[in-house]
DNA sequence: CAATAGATCATCT
DNA sequence: GATGATCTATTGC
């Protein structure tokens, strides 16, 4: 079965009507926000995609989290209001998108690790160059920011309003799986990665 | 197929 | 000056 079994334009109307998640969605325990984001829609620049893989990063107790050392210039937004974007450069080359969770002062966040394209697939292809398969367009944290046109310009953006939003989307009923987080050196065994088990767009299948 | 090297730079020590 | 929440091309079996 194709990843997108419906015509692209037919879905853009539904995307526009989809309700933006309110700030209260993010003002909860980081793990609850992470699980809750699975299946929701990330919308930006005429493109929309379902969130299919995330990781939770906690605060000062989590040595793998950027907030572990406390507030710095880069991590400032993590300590602010929930529902904002934390975007940073990794390995000198890729940007990663996180959504800030928990009340102000508690720096939890959720790394968005993979998306399933829904609309704007041609724009994603253009942004991703030589990639052929739809399921490879946004199946990783660095890939999805490229595909969606998200950069450090979006650092601190409020995702409950404006051009970068997260919206409600009908549940697919897919099973949620849990594992350790990927690519970290500290707290390697903490079960804070959540993904839709059988989804073809999850990274590292 | 699996393993690995190289790209490349903001951030923090 | 070292490190890192990655990706891709290339090498080798």
């Amino acid at each position: 079965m194709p990843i997108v079994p419906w015509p692209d334009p037919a879905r853009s109307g539904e995307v526009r009507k989809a309700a933006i998640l309110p700030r209260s969605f993010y003002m909860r325990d980081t793990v609850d926000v992470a699980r809750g984001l699975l299946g929701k829609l990330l919308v930006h620049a005429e493109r929309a995609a379902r969130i299919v893989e995330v990781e939770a990063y906690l605060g000062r107790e989590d040595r793998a989290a950027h907030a572990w050392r406390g507030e710095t210039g880069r991590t400032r937004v993590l300590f602010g209001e929930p529902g904002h974007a934390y975007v940073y450069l990794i390995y000198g080359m890729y940007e990663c998108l996180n959504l800030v969770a928990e009340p102000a002062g508690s720096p939890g966040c959720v790394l968005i690790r993979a998306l399933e394209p829904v609309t704007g697939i041609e724009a994603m292809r253009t942004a991703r160059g030589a990639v052929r398969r739809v399921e490879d367009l946004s199946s990783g944290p660095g890939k999805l920011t490229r595909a969606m046109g998200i950069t450090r310009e979006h650092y601190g953006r409020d995702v409950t309003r404006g051009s970068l939003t997260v919206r409600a989307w009908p549940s697919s009923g897919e099973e949620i799986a849990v594992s350790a987080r990927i690519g970290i050196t500290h707290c390697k065994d903490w079960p804070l990665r959540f993904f839709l088990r059988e989804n073809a767009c999850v990274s590292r299948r």
Side-chain angles (χ1 to χ4, degrees):
Chain A
M1 182 159 47
I3 296 294
V4 181
W6 45 73
D8 214 62
R11 285 267 129 154
S12 28
E14 292 179 55
V15 169
R16 276 195 298 276
K17 283 186 294 186
I20 295 173
L21 300 184
R23 193 161 328 278
S24 57
F25 176 90
Y26 302 94
M27 203 170 306
R28 297 183 284 157
D29 180 81
T30 304
V31 168
D32 293 339
V33 176
R35 299 185 77 111
L37 281 168
L38 290 174
K40 299 300 191 295
L41 208 61
L42 184 68
V43 180
H44 178 64
E46 316 282 292
R47 291 160 242 186
R50 289 175 66 226
I51 298 170
V52 299
E53 178 182 347
V54 297
E55 283 175 359
Y57 285 86
L58 313 180
R60 301 178 192 281
E61 71 271 36
D62 180 4
R63 205 175 167 192
H66 287 173
W68 176 67
R69 291 172 200 282
E71 188 172 344
T72 66
R74 181 176 63 162
T75 61
R76 177 184 48 80
V77 71
L78 293 175
F79 290 81
E81 287 291 316
H84 290 256
Y86 170 56
V87 185
Y88 69 92
L89 183 71
I90 187 69
Y91 299 120
M93 219 174 306
Y94 299 101
E95 337 244 347
C96 289
L97 169 67
N98 298 250
L99 301 176
V100 178
E102 313 236 352
S106 184
C109 70
V110 178
L111 170 68
I112 309 301
R113 279 197 61 91
L115 303 173
E116 178 191 276
V118 172
T119 63
I121 292 174
E122 284 315 306
M124 294 188 202
R125 285 192 184 285
T126 302
R128 292 274 291 128
V131 174
R132 306 180 85 93
R133 294 156 49 196
V134 174
E135 56 267 50
D136 292 334
L137 287 172
S138 50
S139 56
K143 298 177 187 178
L144 73 89
T145 51
R146 285 270 171 89
M148 294 291 289
I150 294 166
T151 70
R152 280 166 289 163
E153 272 183 36
H154 297 88
Y155 179 94
R157 290 278 196 92
D158 184 352
V159 299
T160 69
R161 54 182 300 155
S163 63
L164 174 63
T165 53
V166 181
R167 297 172 187 242
W169 199 245
S171 169
S172 61
E174 288 167 273
E175 185 189 350
I176 295 178
V178 185
S179 79
R181 294 172 293 183
I182 290 174
I184 54 173
T185 55
H186 299 288
C187 309
K188 276 181 183 307
D189 301 328
W190 295 16
L192 294 177
R193 173 175 177 246
F194 307 94
F195 57 101
L196 299 181
R197 187 183 288 283
E198 300 298 326
N199 196 286
C201 298
V202 167
S203 71
R204 311 249 185 130
R205 302 204 90 252

